[in-house]
Amino acid sequence: YEGTPAEIMRILVANNIALKLLSETTNIRHFTFMTTLYIQGIKNLSAITRSALSIIKEDGSSLLCEIFRRSDKNDKDQDKYERYMKDKIRQYFSLVQREDFIEHNSQNLKTIPKLAIVAEDPAHKEELQKMLTPIIKMLRVDERAEVVFVTEHELDTGTI
């Protein structure tokens, strides 16, 4: 796999989260890495999302994990960094709030997946919440489309 150090770190964090969840809990049906979720038969790129980790629980609920790293940004690319994260939020809402999501999603999910924004630590989580909460409030029209902010540790221990 060729990617930036931040992309490779996201994959490693996703692997660590999956391994930890599998060893600590029994309510995970399955998980996939770098999962692309879209509406079958639609080629609208605004209705597609790709998450570092997708978790399906035994109860049928699901969780998409977007893992953001501080190393994704540097002072010169702050605008690009914020735009990237906000685009991920837009894509999520554009996809899961479609009327045909449950019937035609590519992963055959039976419920709207929760989106977990995974931060490195509590300070990073607070930074992401401050940056992303306004766009979440603006875009969320279906209360079933839920976004949670967690740290790697909170997600590891299954506290969400």
Side-chain angles (χ1 to χ4, degrees), residues 9-32:
M9 181 57 77
R10 272 193 292 279
I11 292 168
L12 292 173
V13 169
N15 281 317
N16 286 339
I17 290 169
L19 288 171
K20 187 82 167 181
L21 286 173
L22 287 173
S23 68
E24 290 183 353
T25 65
T26 58
N27 68 346
I28 305 295
R29 183 181 308 154
H30 74 272
F31 59 89
T32 56

Side-chain angles (χ1 to χ4, degrees), residues 131-149:
M131 182 187 312
L132 298 174
T133 296
I135 194 165
I136 291 167
K137 287 181 178 180
M138 182 179 75
L139 295 174
R140 185 176 183 218
V141 294
D142 186 331
E143 69 241 13
R144 297 174 300 163
E146 186 180 354
V147 178
V148 295
F149 292 86

Side-chain angles (χ1 to χ4, degrees), residues 61-135:
S61 65
S62 55
L63 180 70
L64 303 177
C65 299
E66 288 295 349
I67 300 168
F68 293 118
R69 315 305 302 157
R70 282 191 180 101
S71 57
D72 287 333
K73 73 173 183 176
N74 60 45
D75 293 337
K76 295 177 187 172
D77 293 322
Q78 180 66 25
D79 289 340
K80 186 177 180 182
Y81 172 70
E82 287 184 28
R83 192 170 40 252
Y84 168 76
M85 290 187 293
K86 289 176 181 179
D87 283 347
K88 286 287 194 176
I89 300 296
R90 281 186 195 96
Q91 290 168 338
Y92 167 76
F93 282 114
S94 175
L95 179 66
V96 302
Q97 293 184 138
R98 290 178 57 103
E99 289 181 22
D100 58 350
F101 175 78
I102 298 297
E103 186 177 24
H104 296 291
N105 73 80
S106 60
Q107 301 295 318
N108 296 314
L109 301 175
K110 303 303 179 204
T111 61
I112 292 177
K114 184 185 294 187
L115 178 63
I117 304 296
V118 183
E120 294 180 42
D121 54 47
H124 189 226
K125 175 179 153 180
E126 187 176 316
E127 174 188 330
L128 292 174
Q129 282 177 306
K130 184 177 179 182
M131 182 187 312
L132 298 174
T133 296
I135 194 165

